[in-house]
Amino acid sequence: MFKNLLIIVLTLIFITTACGDPVVELEDEYEPKIAVSAYIYPEKRVENIRVMRNFQLSGDIDSSSIILTPFSNNVNISINDVPLNFDLKTFSYYTDNLQIDYNKEYTIKISAVVDGKQLYTESKTVTPQKGFKVTAKDLGEIKYREVSPTINFTVSPGTGFYAFSINALEAGVNNFIFDNPYEPNVKPEDLEDRLNFYKFQMNMVLNLNLAANDIYEYEISGLDTWFYGNYEVVVYAGNKNMEDFVLTAGNVQEFDGNFHEPRMYFEGDGIGVFAGAIADTVKFKLVK
Protein backbone atom coordinates (compact mmCIF):
# COMPACT_ATOMS: atom_id res chain seq x y z
CA MET A 1 0.00 0.00 0.00
CA PHE A 2 4.02 -0.67 -0.30
CA LYS A 3 7.64 -0.65 -1.36
CA ASN A 4 6.95 2.43 -3.40
CA LEU A 5 4.53 2.89 -0.57
CA LEU A 6 1.08 2.31 -1.02
CA ILE A 7 0.64 3.33 -4.62
CA ILE A 8 -2.92 4.38 -3.79
CA VAL A 9 -5.37 4.82 -6.64
CA LEU A 10 -6.86 8.30 -6.27
CA THR A 11 -10.42 8.11 -7.55
CA LEU A 12 -11.90 10.65 -5.20
CA ILE A 13 -15.47 11.92 -5.60
CA PHE A 14 -17.18 14.80 -3.80
CA ILE A 15 -20.47 13.53 -2.43
CA THR A 16 -23.37 14.77 -0.32
CA THR A 17 -25.87 12.83 1.72
CA ALA A 18 -28.79 13.45 3.99
CA CYS A 19 -27.99 12.95 7.68
CA GLY A 20 -27.68 9.26 8.38
CA ASP A 21 -28.82 8.33 4.86
CA PRO A 22 -26.35 6.02 3.07
CA VAL A 23 -27.83 6.81 -0.34
CA VAL A 24 -25.29 8.86 -2.30
CA GLU A 25 -26.41 11.87 -4.29
CA LEU A 26 -23.66 12.91 -6.66
CA GLU A 27 -23.12 16.58 -7.34
CA ASP A 28 -23.74 17.66 -10.91
CA GLU A 29 -20.89 20.14 -11.05
CA TYR A 30 -17.50 18.69 -11.94
CA GLU A 31 -14.28 20.42 -10.94
CA PRO A 32 -10.98 19.20 -12.41
CA LYS A 33 -8.37 18.45 -9.76
CA ILE A 34 -4.70 17.53 -9.55
CA ALA A 35 -4.56 14.11 -7.83
CA VAL A 36 -1.26 13.50 -6.05
CA SER A 37 0.42 10.41 -4.59
CA ALA A 38 3.74 11.59 -3.16
CA TYR A 39 5.86 10.09 -0.38
CA ILE A 40 9.35 11.23 0.64
CA TYR A 41 11.85 9.34 2.80
CA PRO A 42 14.91 10.66 4.68
CA GLU A 43 18.19 9.56 3.11
CA LYS A 44 16.32 8.21 0.08
CA ARG A 45 16.06 9.40 -3.50
CA VAL A 46 13.01 11.47 -4.36
CA GLU A 47 11.12 9.31 -6.84
CA ASN A 48 7.76 7.75 -7.73
CA ILE A 49 5.95 11.06 -7.24
CA ARG A 50 2.72 10.50 -9.15
CA VAL A 51 0.60 13.33 -10.52
CA MET A 52 -2.79 12.39 -11.92
CA ARG A 53 -6.25 13.86 -12.49
CA ASN A 54 -9.84 13.17 -11.52
CA PHE A 55 -12.73 12.54 -13.93
CA GLN A 56 -16.38 13.40 -14.14
CA LEU A 57 -18.34 10.38 -12.95
CA SER A 58 -20.93 10.56 -15.74
CA GLY A 59 -18.32 10.91 -18.48
CA ASP A 60 -15.98 8.49 -20.22
CA ILE A 61 -12.59 7.88 -18.62
CA ASP A 62 -9.65 8.12 -20.98
CA SER A 63 -7.00 5.90 -19.38
CA SER A 64 -4.28 7.48 -21.50
CA SER A 65 -4.86 10.87 -19.86
CA ILE A 66 -4.89 9.80 -16.19
CA ILE A 67 -1.21 10.68 -15.72
CA LEU A 68 -0.42 14.40 -15.98
CA THR A 69 2.79 15.02 -17.92
CA PRO A 70 4.90 18.05 -18.87
CA PHE A 71 4.12 17.32 -22.52
CA SER A 72 0.33 17.09 -22.46
CA ASN A 73 -0.52 19.08 -19.33
CA ASN A 74 2.32 21.59 -18.94
CA VAL A 75 3.12 20.18 -15.48
CA ASN A 76 5.56 22.07 -13.27
CA ILE A 77 6.37 20.38 -9.98
CA SER A 78 8.88 21.11 -7.24
CA ILE A 79 9.68 20.18 -3.66
CA ASN A 80 11.19 23.01 -1.61
CA ASP A 81 11.60 24.86 -4.91
CA VAL A 82 13.76 22.08 -6.42
CA PRO A 83 12.23 21.14 -9.81
CA LEU A 84 11.32 17.50 -10.41
CA ASN A 85 11.91 15.62 -13.67
CA PHE A 86 9.48 13.31 -15.45
CA ASP A 87 10.47 9.64 -15.89
CA LEU A 88 9.05 8.22 -19.11
CA LYS A 89 9.57 4.63 -17.92
CA THR A 90 7.56 4.91 -14.70
CA PHE A 91 5.34 7.88 -15.60
CA SER A 92 6.32 9.52 -12.33
CA TYR A 93 8.46 12.43 -11.14
CA TYR A 94 11.87 12.39 -9.47
CA THR A 95 14.97 14.41 -8.70
CA ASP A 96 18.55 13.64 -7.70
CA ASN A 97 19.11 17.22 -6.54
CA LEU A 98 17.32 17.12 -3.20
CA GLN A 99 18.45 15.42 0.01
CA ILE A 100 15.51 14.49 2.25
CA ASP A 101 16.39 14.92 5.93
CA TYR A 102 14.79 13.84 9.19
CA ASN A 103 12.38 16.12 11.05
CA LYS A 104 12.26 18.75 8.33
CA GLU A 105 9.36 20.51 6.61
CA TYR A 106 8.93 20.11 2.85
CA THR A 107 6.53 21.85 0.47
CA ILE A 108 5.38 20.38 -2.82
CA LYS A 109 4.06 22.77 -5.48
CA ILE A 110 2.33 21.62 -8.63
CA SER A 111 0.77 23.46 -11.56
CA ALA A 112 -0.88 21.75 -14.52
CA VAL A 113 -3.48 22.24 -17.22
CA VAL A 114 -6.48 19.88 -16.93
CA ASP A 115 -9.42 20.09 -19.34
CA GLY A 116 -8.07 23.40 -20.58
CA LYS A 117 -8.04 24.91 -17.06
CA GLN A 118 -4.87 26.10 -15.33
CA LEU A 119 -4.68 24.44 -11.89
CA TYR A 120 -2.33 24.92 -8.94
CA THR A 121 -1.91 23.16 -5.62
CA GLU A 122 0.61 22.89 -2.81
CA SER A 123 1.02 20.87 0.37
CA LYS A 124 3.38 20.72 3.34
CA THR A 125 4.66 17.75 5.31
CA VAL A 126 7.25 17.15 8.04
CA THR A 127 9.38 14.02 7.92
CA PRO A 128 9.64 11.82 11.05
CA GLN A 129 12.49 12.17 13.51
CA LYS A 130 15.39 9.75 13.27
CA GLY A 131 15.08 6.60 15.36
CA PHE A 132 12.98 4.02 13.54
CA LYS A 133 14.94 0.93 12.50
CA VAL A 134 14.29 -2.80 12.35
CA THR A 135 16.76 -4.82 14.41
CA ALA A 136 16.95 -7.83 12.06
CA LYS A 137 16.43 -7.63 8.31
CA ASP A 138 16.50 -11.40 7.64
CA LEU A 139 14.39 -13.65 9.86
CA GLY A 140 15.47 -16.82 8.05
CA GLU A 141 13.23 -19.86 7.66
CA ILE A 142 10.09 -20.00 9.77
CA LYS A 143 7.85 -23.05 10.11
CA TYR A 144 4.22 -22.32 9.41
CA ARG A 145 2.05 -22.09 12.55
CA GLU A 146 4.90 -23.19 14.82
CA VAL A 147 6.48 -19.75 15.11
CA SER A 148 5.05 -16.39 14.10
CA PRO A 149 7.34 -14.14 12.05
CA THR A 150 8.20 -11.33 14.46
CA ILE A 151 9.61 -7.96 13.46
CA ASN A 152 11.45 -6.02 16.15
CA PHE A 153 12.06 -2.33 15.66
CA THR A 154 12.92 0.87 17.49
CA VAL A 155 10.56 3.81 17.07
CA SER A 156 10.97 7.38 15.95
CA PRO A 157 10.21 9.89 18.72
CA GLY A 158 6.84 11.54 18.15
CA THR A 159 5.75 8.99 15.54
CA GLY A 160 2.94 6.66 16.58
CA PHE A 161 1.89 5.27 13.18
CA TYR A 162 3.62 2.21 11.69
CA ALA A 163 2.43 0.39 8.56
CA PHE A 164 3.41 -3.05 7.27
CA SER A 165 3.31 -4.06 3.61
CA ILE A 166 3.55 -7.85 3.39
CA ASN A 167 4.32 -9.35 0.00
CA ALA A 168 4.52 -13.06 -0.83
CA LEU A 169 7.19 -12.98 -3.54
CA GLU A 170 6.38 -16.36 -5.15
CA ALA A 171 2.62 -16.46 -4.81
CA GLY A 172 0.86 -19.09 -6.90
CA VAL A 173 -1.46 -22.05 -6.86
CA ASN A 174 1.39 -24.49 -6.28
CA ASN A 175 2.52 -22.96 -2.96
CA PHE A 176 -0.78 -21.70 -1.57
CA ILE A 177 -1.50 -23.06 1.92
CA PHE A 178 -4.78 -24.81 1.15
CA ASP A 179 -4.93 -26.49 4.57
CA ASN A 180 -4.80 -23.18 6.44
CA PRO A 181 -7.22 -22.85 9.41
CA TYR A 182 -8.70 -19.53 8.25
CA GLU A 183 -10.13 -20.32 4.81
CA PRO A 184 -9.73 -24.10 4.37
CA ASN A 185 -12.17 -24.37 1.47
CA VAL A 186 -10.34 -22.27 -1.12
CA LYS A 187 -10.37 -23.97 -4.52
CA PRO A 188 -7.52 -23.64 -7.05
CA GLU A 189 -9.84 -22.21 -9.69
CA ASP A 190 -11.04 -19.55 -7.26
CA LEU A 191 -7.50 -18.71 -6.17
CA GLU A 192 -6.43 -17.71 -9.66
CA ASP A 193 -9.06 -14.97 -9.73
CA ARG A 194 -8.17 -13.67 -6.27
CA LEU A 195 -4.42 -14.21 -6.23
CA ASN A 196 -3.49 -10.60 -5.40
CA PHE A 197 -6.02 -10.56 -2.56
CA TYR A 198 -3.90 -13.19 -0.77
CA LYS A 199 -0.50 -12.14 -2.12
CA PHE A 200 -0.48 -8.56 -0.83
CA GLN A 201 -1.34 -7.83 2.78
CA MET A 202 -1.24 -4.61 4.74
CA ASN A 203 -1.48 -3.94 8.46
CA MET A 204 -0.70 -1.12 10.86
CA VAL A 205 -0.04 -0.16 14.46
CA LEU A 206 -1.59 3.04 15.81
CA ASN A 207 -0.79 5.34 18.72
CA LEU A 208 2.48 3.64 19.55
CA ASN A 209 4.11 5.58 22.37
CA LEU A 210 7.50 4.19 23.35
CA ALA A 211 10.82 5.68 24.38
CA ALA A 212 13.37 6.16 21.61
CA ASN A 213 15.46 3.09 22.44
CA ASP A 214 12.61 0.75 23.33
CA ILE A 215 12.00 -2.21 21.00
CA TYR A 216 8.52 -3.04 19.76
CA GLU A 217 7.68 -6.60 18.70
CA TYR A 218 5.21 -7.00 15.85
CA GLU A 219 3.94 -10.51 15.08
CA ILE A 220 2.75 -11.28 11.55
CA SER A 221 -0.39 -13.37 11.76
CA GLY A 222 -1.49 -16.29 9.65
CA LEU A 223 -4.07 -14.04 8.02
CA ASP A 224 -1.15 -12.20 6.39
CA THR A 225 0.74 -15.30 5.18
CA TRP A 226 -1.17 -17.46 2.69
CA PHE A 227 1.75 -19.01 0.78
CA TYR A 228 4.87 -21.02 1.50
CA GLY A 229 8.03 -19.36 0.24
CA ASN A 230 9.83 -16.04 0.47
CA TYR A 231 8.28 -12.87 1.86
CA GLU A 232 9.28 -9.23 1.84
CA VAL A 233 7.85 -6.90 4.47
CA VAL A 234 8.33 -3.15 4.14
CA VAL A 235 7.77 -1.36 7.45
CA TYR A 236 6.95 2.34 7.47
CA ALA A 237 7.15 4.89 10.27
CA GLY A 238 4.67 7.39 8.86
CA ASN A 239 4.00 11.01 9.74
CA LYS A 240 0.62 12.63 10.38
CA ASN A 241 -0.13 13.21 6.70
CA MET A 242 0.40 9.54 5.90
CA GLU A 243 -1.54 8.30 8.91
CA ASP A 244 -4.59 10.46 8.25
CA PHE A 245 -4.75 9.59 4.56
CA VAL A 246 -4.34 5.86 5.07
CA LEU A 247 -6.97 5.80 7.80
CA THR A 248 -9.56 7.88 5.95
CA ALA A 249 -9.10 7.24 2.22
CA GLY A 250 -10.09 3.58 2.30
CA ASN A 251 -13.46 4.09 3.96
CA VAL A 252 -15.32 7.36 3.51
CA GLN A 253 -18.58 6.29 5.16
CA GLU A 254 -19.27 6.85 8.86
CA PHE A 255 -21.10 4.37 11.10
CA ASP A 256 -24.24 6.52 10.91
CA GLY A 257 -24.30 6.42 7.12
CA ASN A 258 -22.90 9.91 6.52
CA PHE A 259 -19.97 10.32 4.16
CA HIS A 260 -16.79 12.32 4.59
CA GLU A 261 -13.88 13.31 2.41
CA PRO A 262 -10.50 11.74 3.15
CA ARG A 263 -8.18 13.94 5.17
CA MET A 264 -6.02 15.70 2.63
CA TYR A 265 -3.63 18.55 3.33
CA PHE A 266 -3.69 20.35 -0.01
CA GLU A 267 -4.36 23.98 -0.77
CA GLY A 268 -5.82 25.08 -4.07
CA ASP A 269 -6.81 22.53 -6.71
CA GLY A 270 -5.22 19.39 -5.25
CA ILE A 271 -6.41 16.13 -3.74
CA GLY A 272 -4.46 13.11 -2.55
CA VAL A 273 -1.48 12.71 -0.26
CA PHE A 274 1.93 14.27 0.30
CA ALA A 275 3.60 12.56 3.25
CA GLY A 276 6.91 11.69 4.84
CA ALA A 277 7.98 8.32 6.22
CA ILE A 278 10.96 6.18 7.15
CA ALA A 279 11.05 2.75 5.52
CA ASP A 280 12.92 -0.44 6.35
CA THR A 281 12.67 -3.93 4.87
CA VAL A 282 12.50 -7.40 6.45
CA LYS A 283 12.53 -10.77 4.69
CA PHE A 284 11.76 -14.32 5.74
CA LYS A 285 10.89 -17.69 4.24
CA LEU A 286 7.79 -19.61 5.33
CA VAL A 287 8.23 -23.39 5.23
CA LYS A 288 6.12 -26.46 6.11
Side-chain angles (χ1 to χ4, degrees):
M1 245 137 127
F2 255 168
K3 188 159 189 177
N4 298 327
L5 179 64
L6 323 141
I7 295 177
I8 301 174
V9 178
L10 298 170
T11 311
L12 303 176
I13 304 169
F14 292 97
I15 55 181
T16 59
T17 64
C19 181
D21 184 355
V23 177
V24 179
E25 298 176 1
L26 298 176
E27 294 181 354
D28 294 331
E29 184 177 354
Y30 159 71
E31 294 183 6
K33 297 287 184 179
I34 300 172
V36 185
S37 178
Y39 295 87
I40 54 175
Y41 307 90
E43 300 184 9
K44 301 291 185 181
R45 183 176 187 247
V46 176
E47 59 184 350
N48 295 315
I49 307 298
R50 301 186 182 274
V51 181
M52 297 162 283
R53 58 162 296 175
N54 63 341
F55 288 89
Q56 188 172 4
L57 187 65
S58 60
D60 295 330
I61 296 178
D62 180 6
S63 60
S64 65
S65 66
I66 292 176
I67 305 297
L68 301 185
T69 72
F71 320 109
S72 301
N73 307 96
N74 195 27
V75 173
N76 287 289
I77 176 173
S78 67
I79 297 178
N80 281 16
D81 296 324
V82 176
L84 273 59
N85 304 309
F86 185 68
D87 188 337
L88 284 170
K89 293 181 179 179
T90 62
F91 294 99
S92 64
Y93 292 83
Y94 73 97
T95 183
D96 293 319
N97 298 320
L98 179 62
Q99 176 67 42
I100 303 299
D101 294 325
Y102 298 94
N103 196 28
K104 183 175 179 180
E105 183 177 85
Y106 291 89
T107 302
I108 191 169
K109 299 178 180 179
I110 308 171
S111 63
V113 176
V114 179
D115 290 343
K117 184 178 180 180
Q118 181 68 55
L119 305 180
Y120 174 81
T121 188
E122 65 178 68
S123 179
K124 297 181 184 294
T125 197
V126 178
T127 52
Q129 296 184 49
K130 191 172 185 178
F132 166 72
K133 185 178 181 181
V134 299
T135 60
K137 296 180 181 293
D138 190 346
L139 304 182
E141 290 190 352
I142 296 175
K143 289 189 176 182
Y144 182 63
R145 299 202 68 195
E146 288 190 10
V147 180
S148 296
T150 301
I151 299 174
N152 297 331
F153 60 88
T154 56
V155 301
S156 289
T159 299
F161 176 77
Y162 297 83
F164 304 82
S165 172
I166 305 163
N167 180 14
L169 299 178
E170 301 138 357
V173 175
N174 292 334
N175 63 327
F176 185 79
I177 306 173
F178 285 101
D179 59 348
N180 73 84
Y182 311 103
E183 292 188 35
N185 298 317
V186 177
K187 298 178 181 179
E189 56 269 25
D190 297 330
L191 177 61
E192 293 179 356
D193 295 331
R194 304 184 66 204
L195 190 63
N196 285 341
F197 173 81
Y198 296 103
K199 173 180 171 64
F200 300 104
Q201 302 295 322
M202 183 264 188
N203 221 318
M204 64 188 76
V205 174
L206 306 176
N207 303 318
L208 194 57
N209 185 18
L210 298 177
N213 295 323
D214 287 347
I215 294 178
Y216 183 81
E217 295 184 357
Y218 176 77
E219 289 190 4
I220 298 175
S221 75
L223 290 170
D224 291 328
T225 51
W226 296 95
F227 301 86
Y228 293 116
N230 292 302
Y231 282 79
E232 181 182 76
V233 183
V234 183
V235 189
Y236 298 90
N239 69 358
K240 182 65 173 175
N241 290 36
M242 177 181 175
E243 178 180 3
D244 286 348
F245 187 77
V246 169
L247 292 178
T248 62
N251 182 9
V252 296
Q253 187 173 12
E254 305 285 358
F255 291 110
D256 62 2
N258 285 321
F259 288 83
H260 65 260
E261 294 178 12
R263 292 183 183 176
M264 300 175 292
Y265 299 97
F266 280 87
E267 296 180 1
D269 305 308
I271 55 177
V273 58
F274 176 51
I278 307 171
D280 214 341
T281 304
V282 178
K283 63 181 182 178
F284 63 89
K285 186 174 184 179
L286 200 65
V287 298
K288 295 182 180 181

